[in-house]
Amino acid sequence: MNNAVAKMEAKPLEISVTGQRLLDDPLLNKSTAFPEAERRELGLMGLLPLHTSTIEEQLARVYENYQRKENDIERYIFLTALQDRNETLFYRLLQEHVTEMMPIIYTPTVGEGCRQYSHVFRRPRGLYISYPYRNEILALLNNAPAANAEVIVVTDGERILGLGDLGVGGMGIPVGKLSLYTLCAGIHPATTLPILLDVGTDNRELLDDPLYLGWGHERVRGKEYEDFIDAFVVAIKEKFPRALLQWEDFSKHNAPNILERYRDRLCTFNDDIQGTGAVTVAGLLAASSLTHTKLSDHRIVILGAGASAIGICDQIVAGMKVEGAQEAEARARLWLVDSQGLVHTGRTKLGPFKQKYAQAIEETLHWTLDDPPQLSFSEVIKNVQPTILIGTSAQPGAFTEQIVSEMAKHVERPVIFPLSNPTSKSEATPSDLFDWTEGRAIIATGSPFPAVVRDGRAIRIGQCNNSFIFPGVGLGVIACGARRVTDAMFVAAARVLSEFAPVLFDPEAPLYPPLEQVREVSLRVAVAVAREAQRSGLAEVDLDNLEQTPTGKMWTPDYVPLRRVAS
């Protein structure tokens, strides 16, 4: 059945809103695509130009206007305005230009959108829960625009990408993430809810800005902050007991604690921790296939020891255990480096999540004659001789020529993932990495980079993009009604994504598939997640209809017939 026939046979959606109010509703608005019969029935006669546009004509018009924008932040503002007017057209446009536009609606451009939030603000979206209203959280949730929210993304704006504390500007992250849930996995936009927990900001530039839209107060911390988060979770459980809650861009100190505190109390996960870990492991599995090794064969150094790094470590250990490695053996292959050098057992005041991956100080005593031994990043590279190097430090240029050249001395195909984003925070550029390794490096990045031209050929760079993981996980969880989200679900998702790696079919291809395949990937991930939920007893899944269940939840951005509800 072709799309035209499917639309003709679609059951009309009965609505009560008419006239200008209908045109102002982004979920229902078709703008110039309303046919004459609907214009007459729904009180739109005279409110639109005479010509009835096809959606293809509308797409041509908005894309033409998009191309006229002179820079990425203007393109971001344009797309945000389109989303506020007509969500169907917005998602159809993104779907047809996914590779071009995903970097605009999310990383890296969303970072600049968040930074300028109070100056480019056009229209509120989602829910703002501010600390001064901490005793009214349930009442605020009752005002939520999504009355039947299935997926919620929440941030407190403290660690936005690699940009730090952006306060209320962090709202751009949940909005962007939920747009990706819809674009990549077909989660209906009417069932998504972005939330900003406004607990103040320590960003002096924002506090001094007369146009700042958030609570102009230093960040609440300690017990007051913990009580606020707890009150929020209690209210969420009462108002949206079956929703999936995703934590996003919390500080490296709060993120792992929040996840551990609530992961067994509601259906929740942290994409910075679990999603980043899973998508990284998928790339490492693909790289291991290319080099005819196992994941557990590798020596891995990670620069940065925050929540993302810990999540990557957790998923790597899980992946190695699947291959038969013992947990202690797997952890011994991971070397974390933070601002103070190697994370090791001789250091005091390590947080519990870092302690888990602290290397035994005895392993380093032979490195130098210094007392205490020098355990800097360069010394770790020199002595560990890693086969895999990962960056989550948000320190641009941290992978220097000296570091990379030293690594490349000891391994034929060095696997290097500079994952920090936005692009300005990347630890290295792919072109430099190729130059410093004589083209031998296997590379994936956190932000999109253009292809690198070497020896007359263009080498595409795979983006270690969480969009290949979290939308499918969310689709699988809500489709099967899973009561909890587990690490095993992310391991299953990583293995599915690794099977899509183009490098498995062409040694010179990227480690990750093109974004045009993201819906196919998401569906396969969703099926694997539902199967794991059923296996672990977290959902009752009809195995005979396992693939059809997620498919039935996937919304496509097509206009549907509208009918005025009988009064």
Side-chain angles (χ1 to χ4, degrees):
M1 180 184 294
N2 62 43
N3 287 338
V5 174
K7 292 177 190 176
M8 290 174 57
E9 295 183 356
K11 182 180 179 181
L13 176 65
E14 293 191 338
I15 61 172
S16 59
V17 61
T18 59
Q20 187 62 50
R21 288 178 56 210
L22 175 56
L23 297 178
D24 292 338
D25 188 327
L27 287 168
L28 298 175
N29 181 28
K30 303 180 189 179
S31 187
T32 58
F34 278 107
E36 182 177 346
E38 289 186 2
R39 296 185 187 199
R40 290 187 178 279
E41 182 177 0
L42 299 172
L44 299 175
M45 295 296 289
L47 298 181
L48 294 164
L50 178 65
H51 175 70
T52 296
S53 301
T54 65
I55 196 168
E56 289 75 21
E57 290 170 342
Q58 290 182 320
L59 287 167
R61 184 178 297 114
V62 294
Y63 188 54
E64 179 183 299
N65 279 277
Y66 172 86
Q67 291 180 303
R68 288 176 179 161
K69 303 305 175 183
E70 296 182 353
N71 54 58
D72 284 348
I73 190 62
E74 289 297 325
R75 296 182 186 101
Y76 172 83
I77 293 169
F78 175 83
L79 290 175
T80 298
L82 177 61
Q83 185 179 21
D84 288 338
R85 293 195 311 272
N86 184 332
E87 296 222 33
T88 302
L89 188 60
F90 168 76
Y91 285 110
R92 183 69 171 269
L93 181 69
L94 295 185
Q95 198 172 79
E96 298 202 0
H97 303 277
V98 60
T99 299
E100 178 182 3
M101 294 184 178
M102 190 181 286
I104 304 299
I105 64 164
Y106 205 63
T107 183
T109 309
V110 70
E112 186 62 18
C114 291
R115 198 180 67 78
Q116 297 189 35
Y117 185 81
S118 294
H119 290 259
V120 301
F121 182 84
R122 299 292 193 277
R123 179 175 175 175
R125 177 173 283 267
L127 201 63
Y128 304 79
I129 300 179
S130 301
Y131 188 77
Y133 303 140
R134 58 192 176 279
N135 296 322
E136 305 175 59
I137 295 178
L138 185 58
L140 299 184
L141 289 176
N142 286 331
N143 292 336
N148 298 302
E150 291 186 318
V151 182
I152 300 169
V153 177
V154 60
T155 187
D156 68 355
E158 188 170 7
R159 193 201 64 83
I160 300 302
L161 302 177
L163 302 173
D165 184 352
L166 297 184
V168 76
M171 179 54 108
I173 296 298
V175 170
K177 280 282 185 178
L178 288 167
S179 296
L180 297 184
Y181 268 107
T182 299
L183 172 66
C184 302
I187 306 296
H188 198 292
T191 67
T192 66
L193 176 60
I195 296 180
L196 187 284
L197 300 179
D198 185 2
V199 293
T201 179
D202 290 335
N203 185 327
R204 179 48 55 183
E205 183 180 350
L206 296 179
L207 292 174
D208 292 341
D209 184 352
L211 295 183
Y212 181 60
L213 287 167
W215 183 40
H217 191 283
E218 290 80 7
R219 277 191 175 269
V220 173
R221 299 196 182 278
K223 188 175 187 306
E224 289 80 8
Y225 177 84
E226 293 173 1
D227 290 346
F228 180 69
I229 297 295
D230 204 53
F232 168 70
V233 169
V234 169
I236 285 288
K237 289 177 67 177
E238 181 171 344
K239 177 63 179 176
F240 301 111
R242 288 179 291 277
L244 170 65
L245 175 68
Q246 176 182 323
W247 307 92
E248 189 71 26
D249 283 1
F250 286 75
S251 77
K252 65 181 181 181
H253 305 292
N254 290 325
N257 293 325
I258 288 173
L259 178 61
E260 288 304 310
R261 182 175 176 84
Y262 299 110
R263 66 187 306 167
D264 294 325
R265 293 171 55 180
L266 69 164
C267 188
T268 191
F269 74 96
N270 184 306
D271 185 51
D272 299 312
I273 298 174
Q274 294 152 292
T276 299
V279 75
T280 303
V281 166
L284 297 181
L285 290 171
S288 297
S289 295
L290 181 63
T291 56
H292 307 291
T293 59
K294 297 192 300 182
L295 186 58
S296 52
D297 293 332
H298 289 277
R299 300 179 300 279
I300 303 169
V301 170
I302 302 178
L303 181 63
S308 296
I310 300 303
I312 290 170
C313 289
D314 288 345
Q315 293 293 321
I316 289 174
V317 168
M320 289 183 176
K321 288 170 68 176
V322 169
E323 294 177 347
Q326 298 299 311
E327 180 151 342
E329 176 188 358
R331 290 186 185 183
R333 291 191 166 274
L334 294 163
W335 300 74
L336 270 65
V337 180
D338 63 11
S339 59
Q340 299 178 51
L342 178 67
V343 175
H344 61 81
T345 57
R347 285 174 50 179
T348 59
K349 299 183 180 179
L350 281 178
F353 299 98
K354 286 187 182 182
Q355 288 177 8
K356 184 166 61 171
Y357 292 106
Q359 282 283 345
I361 186 64
E362 293 78 14
E363 294 293 324
T364 70
L365 296 181
H366 66 284
W367 286 9
T368 71
L369 296 177
D370 297 319
D371 187 19
Q374 298 299 308
L375 303 176
S376 65
F377 180 36
S378 60
E379 286 293 330
V380 171
I381 295 295
K382 179 180 178 181
N383 287 279
V384 173
Q385 299 180 4
T387 56
I388 294 173
L389 176 60
I390 298 171
T392 64
S393 66
Q395 297 298 314
F399 292 175
T400 64
E401 182 175 3
Q402 178 187 3
I403 291 289
V404 174
S405 297
E406 178 65 32
M407 178 187 181
K409 289 179 185 178
H410 308 288
V411 56
E412 178 62 27
R413 299 297 307 274
V415 178
I416 307 178
F417 285 14
L419 298 183
S420 292
N421 52 44
T423 311
S424 61
K425 300 292 183 179
S426 182
E427 287 82 6
T429 65
S431 58
D432 282 342
L433 294 176
F434 278 126
D435 287 343
W436 298 336
T437 62
E438 301 174 325
R440 293 183 286 121
I442 301 171
I443 301 168
T445 57
S447 289
F449 278 87
V452 176
V453 178
R454 285 187 63 85
D455 301 326
R457 58 191 177 90
I459 303 172
R460 289 177 293 139
I461 307 301
Q463 185 186 357
C464 188
N465 192 327
N466 290 27
S467 301
F468 286 118
I469 292 289
F470 73 84
V473 170
L475 175 62
V477 166
I478 66 174
C480 73
R483 296 181 290 278
R484 297 289 182 268
V485 183
T486 66
D487 286 339
M489 294 177 184
F490 284 95
V491 173
R495 294 204 163 274
V496 166
L497 177 56
S498 72
E499 293 169 3
F500 279 85
V503 76
L504 300 180
F505 311 100
D506 176 1
E508 295 186 354
L511 294 174
Y512 294 93
L515 286 171
E516 285 78 9
Q517 280 189 272
V518 69
R519 278 214 165 199
E520 181 185 356
V521 172
S522 293
L523 179 57
R524 288 272 303 278
V525 166
V527 172
V529 167
R531 182 176 289 112
E532 172 58 30
Q534 193 273 341
R535 186 199 66 78
S536 59
L538 291 171
E540 301 300 325
V541 183
D542 181 357
L543 295 178
D544 292 334
N545 296 310
L546 191 59
E547 296 208 19
Q548 288 74 23
T549 300
T551 303
K553 291 288 293 186
M554 296 182 79
W555 175 77
T556 56
D558 295 318
Y559 291 135
V560 298
L562 300 178
R563 175 184 298 162
R564 188 170 184 173
V565 66
S567 56

